Amino acid sequence: MKRNSLWSWIVLVLAVLYFALPLIGTFEFSLKMRRGVYSFDAYRVVLSDPRFQSTFLYSVTMALCTIALGIVIVVPTAYWVRLKLPRWRPIIEFITLLPLVIPPIVVVFGYIRLYNTSSWLPLTGSAWGTNVLLAFGYATLSLPYMYRAVDTGLRAIDVATLTEAAQSLGASWLTIMARVILPNVSVAVMSGAFLTFAIVIGEFVMAALLSRPAFGPYMQLLGANRAYEPAALAVIAFAITWLCMGLIQLVSRFSKVAPARI
Amino acid sequence: MAFLEIRNIQKSFGPAQVVRDFNLGVESGEFVSFLGPSGCGKTTVLRMVAGFEEPSLGNILIGGRDVTRLKPNQRNIGMVFQAYALFPNMTVAQNIAFGLKVARAPQAEIRGRVDAMLALIKLPELGDRYPYQLSGGQQQRVALARALAPRPKLLLLDEPLSALDAKVRVSLREEIRAIQKELGITTIFVTHDQEEALSISDRIVVMYGGKAEQVGTPFEIYNRPATRFVANFVGTLNVLEGTVMDPAAGFVEVHEEKVSLAGRLNGAKAGDRLSLALRPEAIALGRRPGYDSSLKGRIGEVHFLGSVIRVRVELGDSVVSLDTFNNPSSPPPAVGDPAEISFSSADVNILH
């Protein structure tokens, strides 16, 4: 028993070192911009860079659009599959998993080929159109996470009976979706939303190939030209991801005390 | 014309026909129970009335209006589900107000109606609670209030007591009946529990194999079962096999004794085999004045149940159960003793 416990500790310490050491190293390096002393100069430079602000704002905006798009596409789909098409569930699950096995570069080349300026829908011909295309691309990338989160949320409630109860009280499909289903899977939707946010903030391939001023390409650009700032940026990006994870934990905890079961 | 008319409805799921040629008229204010075992089609009929299933054939009319093709949210029917189905994200008051809000009722009316419903279900102080903070019985009362709040024309109860413990079931079924009587709302109640159906219904529809086996008052269903299934399903029943001896005089031989069933043999011929059914409470141990038939046997088992003693009497290869009241001054019969049972031939049901 004691021997097992010792091995567990050894494995845990090794795992922590494996994950934490690069982060600690990066953080430590990011503080070395001023010769001889630790300082937050690199962070100051990064945060005051107008390109950081504009690219970050762009990516946050895109993330919010992607989340909205994801909710509009995924929640009704997952709900309808659970309610009326349970036999289709494995097929829909397979489709939602495809973005994990098809590299983003393939997806984006497909987009460019389909929606270039000489195609029937020339989305890449304008900034607005390319933004729309990028939002759809991000929504595709986040599909596995969003669908699974929402589907898990729907599994926790009796979708069919709640729907029938609402119908018998005179509710339309829109009312059922907006006032019964969505509020009851809000925690799951939030989890999916934070994961989507983290994915969009760090995404590089799609934004770079569609030439959009997103945070991912900015990080890459900075990394190719500067020494300390990329380390600071990596720590900031990591902090954003961890913040998202923390928020998922927080809303999940809220769900345990809030009304969510029948 | 009845308030609710169900005319010749049939329902098939693929090759399986779950409801066959079902007809029923329910009068305004009536409380009708659908009673039957699992898979008999009772819930399917209820769901067709609610609009959640569409009949393969036939029509459903409410208040003279054909609602067969109407969507569930256009029928103005209140429904209570076995699983309560309260909206978890809403408080009790918000749950009750839901139907009224959907109907865009004025705020003042909603508030007044919610208060009235909370008073009706005797939970006036629980309006701010969430469903997960209530017991099962309380949740089902809220579900009832929610269904009644928009003043539906018809109330459908789909096994609303099945998920509750025995004590709560009894009190809640009485409460449901009292509320139904107070509001005078036409109600259909689905259950597989015969005691529930017998205790609160104006009429019972006993269902089996997708068909209505018998429709009648609880008294008729229990005392005059029309079919062998109804007789077996509702209450405890003793079945004795008999042979017609003299059709003209109505004599049937049962375990070498003669039982008179004059005028009730419906064209049976001499030598025909008949199944005769008797409820335990229609049989007395020993001879009793007014009981015109008797059979001899032996005490097989004695179960002391407190106020009642259930005795099983062996009559050849059949066993008859009967109940006698406990008498503190005389001990129960002993197993193996010879026994004579008596009954009135008027209480005998001939099963078809």
Side-chain angles (χ1 to χ4, degrees), chain B residues 304-311 323-333:
Chain B
F304 186 75
L305 306 174
S307 61
V308 169
I309 300 169
R310 176 150 289 186
V311 181
D323 295 336
T324 63
F325 282 113
N326 173 39
N327 182 354
S329 55
S330 74

Side-chain angles (χ1 to χ4, degrees), chain A residues 158 161-162 164-172 175 179-180 183-184 257-262, chain B residues 47 52 72-73 77 79 81 83 85-90 98-99 101-102 130 132 146-147 150:
Chain A
D158 187 347
T161 316
L162 287 181
E164 288 178 355
Q167 280 181 310
S168 72
L169 292 163
S172 64
T175 307
R179 294 184 51 192
V180 178
N184 282 304
V257 291
R261 299 285 176 274
I262 54 167
Chain B
R47 289 174 62 78
F52 300 133
N73 59 352
I77 287 175
M79 185 147 175
F81 300 83
L86 293 178
F87 306 129
N89 57 311
M90 298 179 199
F98 184 85
K101 278 189 177 166
V102 167
Y130 281 96
Y132 78 103
R146 182 183 66 176

